[in-house]
Amino acid sequence: MIAWQGLAGLAVVALIGCSIAIRGLRPHALRLDLVDRPGGRKQHARPTPMHGGLAVLLGVLLALSSGALLNAPVLLSIDITAVLPFLALAVAVLLLVGVGLIDDLHGIAGVPKLLAQMLAAVIVMAGGDLVISDLGQWPSGMLIALSWLAIPVTLLGIVGFVNAVNMMDGVDGLAGGCVAVMLVWLALAAWLANLQGPLVVAVVTAAAVLAFLLHNLRGPWRAQASVFLGDAGSLSLGLIVIWLAIEISQAPSRVVSPMGIAWVVALPVLDTFSLLIRRLIHGQNPLKADRNHLHHLFGRAGFSPEQTAAVLIALSAVLGGLGVLGSAIGVPDFVLGLGLLVVMAGHYFFVRYAWRSTRALKRLRASGEQLAPAEQLGLVGLYAGMIGVALGEVVLLALAAASIAAASVVRFRSLITDLRAISMSWIAAGLLLWLTLAASRGPDFSGSDWWPLLWASGVVALPLGWWFMRLRTHAT
């Protein structure tokens, strides 16, 4: 059984440890010139130290060490083979931290950096028997086994994801925020599978990343990040996330399938994968940096760095929720896989026709800026209802109903004026009256019996349709 009090304590230790490390390492980072200076493709306005990744890992190390000391008698009785995957992860993380630090300080060519990532992948694969052996189940119930492809797919998946997180680190708070939401969903998947080791790693790392985000996210409290992850941080965090994803998805006790976990890590993978395809089609170097990532499109559409980070972090959270919750409630892996292919195709064409996408984002941003509080409340209701219907979540449906009802009260005059001009409104009202009179003649008619009649008459659909028309930019 998982001791929640102890897990919460370790998370607090990681959060506080990372916060202290961020402040304590700052003068050393400045002295060593571990600083990212503005210029070229970079958007920040002043030199910023890049010791955030080191601080996160120190917070994680402090928390895990304190947990190990408190449970030393238990750990001594555990078979060494159970600890090997975690030791292999630690060695691989140290390797990427070293490579990342050298890259942050002096710069490293693409090929040596790629070789180091491959070596780190081999270490975790060999040391912990980390292999993607299957992708879930076919509709017939048979496993989607990879057979001889398992090892190359695992190697490619680890290296690709580590690079994807590294490439995502282009806007304040974006990489850290996406990693945080991925870790939260992975922690939930580990808890469902009763995997205590991965759960502890996910929760502790998420807590440390949260402490980092307090210094990295832009907002009313901070105009610009005071610390960056650096390559040491983005590479090592990418490795931790993909290690957790494979460990959890391939566990015998898994509840969330590999296809469900794939949704958790989808956003950075899709962004990098579509970029690599476009570069190869045009004969360009796939390892060369450019400004054609998803967050660059949002920037060109006029979104501020904090808005871009917020939108993409929310998107990553939604994708992860669809995968984990969908798999947990029994959505077939075949359906999850097809859905992921649809998302992949949509992302590819969204970035492939960047000029059209940018124009659409500009219109969306302009419409969002013009929304009054009542419209914003109605918009929350529409999106909550959409997600609630998809997931079958009663809480989200209740939130949707309350939001749309409150927004309709505020816009009551406009709503009634528009609906009175539509003949269908009178038909629905008449049908409701007729159904009510007919049902009331029954001996057992009660107030609770009236609600289905309200829905059946179409009266509820009228204000819902009115809000869809009023917020037509979001209707699709």
Side-chain angles (χ1 to χ4, degrees):
M1 293 294 293
I2 296 170
W4 292 107
Q5 296 87 347
L7 187 60
L10 294 181
V12 172
V13 171
L15 192 148
I16 296 176
C18 177
S19 299
I20 294 174
I22 286 176
R23 296 182 179 276
L25 291 175
R26 184 180 180 88
H28 300 287
L30 296 175
R31 178 173 55 83
L32 294 172
D33 200 29
L34 186 61
V35 175
D36 193 6
R37 305 187 184 283
R41 299 179 295 109
K42 300 171 183 178
Q43 300 180 9
H44 54 285
R46 62 174 183 264
T48 306
M50 296 186 290
H51 63 284
L54 292 177
V56 168
L57 295 174
L58 285 175
V60 172
L61 178 62
L62 179 63
L64 295 180
S65 299
S66 60
L69 289 174
L70 292 175
N71 296 278
V74 177
L75 292 176
L76 290 174
S77 63
I78 294 178
D79 186 3
I80 187 64
T81 57
V83 185
L84 278 178
F86 301 94
L87 293 177
L89 175 64
V91 172
V93 165
L94 286 175
L95 170 63
L96 291 187
V97 167
V99 172
L101 277 176
I102 296 173
D103 194 19
D104 290 332
L105 287 169
H106 308 292
I108 297 179
V111 173
K113 191 174 177 181
L114 183 62
L115 291 175
Q117 294 165 5
M118 293 178 67
L119 177 57
V122 170
I123 290 173
V124 293
M125 290 171 63
D129 194 24
L130 193 75
V131 177
I132 305 174
S133 58
D134 71 272
L135 300 179
Q137 293 182 334
W138 293 107
S140 64
M142 293 183 61
L143 287 178
I144 308 174
L146 292 179
S147 186
W148 60 272
L149 287 173
I151 292 178
V153 167
T154 305
L155 180 63
L156 182 62
I158 294 174
V159 174
F161 186 79
V162 168
N163 270 289
V165 174
N166 184 236
M167 292 181 180
M168 178 178 273
D169 192 19
V171 174
D172 291 351
L174 177 56
C178 287
V179 164
V181 297
M182 290 177 204
L183 288 169
V184 169
W185 286 122
L186 290 172
L188 176 60
W191 173 70
L192 291 173
N194 197 29
L195 299 172
Q196 186 161 356
L199 175 61
V200 171
V201 173
V203 171
V204 165
T205 308
V209 173
L210 177 61
F212 162 75
L213 287 173
L214 296 176
H215 300 268
N216 183 250
L217 268 175
R218 296 191 187 190
W221 63 89
R222 189 181 304 280
Q224 182 179 319
S226 61
V227 62
F228 289 160
L229 271 179
D231 278 3
S234 60
L235 294 176
S236 55
L237 285 177
L239 180 63
I240 292 173
V241 170
I242 194 61
W243 180 87
L244 286 168
I246 299 174
E247 279 281 339
I248 296 168
S249 69
Q250 301 300 309
S253 61
R254 71 190 184 198
V255 175
V256 181
S257 71
M259 281 298 178
I261 296 295
W263 282 78
V264 176
V265 299
L267 185 61
V269 173
L270 293 179
D271 197 29
T272 302
F273 185 68
S274 64
L275 187 65
L276 291 177
I277 290 176
R278 293 194 309 275
R279 288 176 180 174
L280 291 173
I281 289 175
H282 293 94
Q284 299 172 347
N285 181 4
L287 300 178
K288 184 179 179 181
D290 61 15
R291 294 182 59 84
N292 291 316
H293 289 281
L294 198 57
H295 56 270
H296 293 132
L297 294 186
F298 277 84
R300 291 201 289 270
F303 284 76
S304 65
E306 53 267 38
Q307 290 173 333
T308 298
V311 170
L312 295 181
I313 291 170
L315 178 58
S316 182
V318 169
L319 290 174
L322 290 173
V324 171
L325 300 179
S327 181
I329 65 176
V331 176
D333 291 329
F334 185 70
V335 175
L336 290 173
L338 285 179
L340 201 56
L341 288 176
V342 171
V343 174
M344 181 184 300
H347 180 279
Y348 174 80
F349 287 110
F350 184 85
V351 182
R352 171 68 176 80
Y353 299 100
W355 62 278
R356 290 183 180 177
S357 302
T358 303
R359 288 172 57 190
L361 288 174
K362 286 180 179 179
R363 289 196 298 269
L364 181 62
R365 178 175 172 272
S367 66
E369 291 176 345
Q370 296 167 4
L371 291 182
E375 278 66 28
Q376 293 176 3
L377 189 59
L379 190 62
V380 169
L382 292 182
Y383 276 105
M386 178 188 68
I387 299 172
V389 169
L391 298 179
E393 288 290 335
V394 178
V395 175
L396 286 174
L397 293 174
L399 172 63
S403 301
I404 293 175
S408 299
V409 170
V410 177
R411 290 286 180 261
F412 184 75
R413 286 188 177 182
S414 300
L415 175 64
I416 295 300
T417 300
D418 291 342
L419 292 184
R420 285 176 61 185
I422 302 174
S423 58
M424 184 57 66
S425 300
W426 297 100
I427 295 174
L431 181 60
L432 176 62
L433 178 61
W434 180 78
L435 289 172
T436 302
L437 291 174
S440 64
R441 295 170 63 87
D444 299 325
F445 181 73
S446 64
S448 61
D449 297 328
W450 184 75
W451 289 105
L453 306 181
L454 182 68
W455 286 95
S457 66
V459 170
V460 174
L462 290 169
L464 190 62
W466 183 82
W467 277 108
F468 269 115
M469 289 301 299
R470 192 172 184 89
L471 301 168
R472 61 176 60 88
T473 306
H474 298 264
T476 304

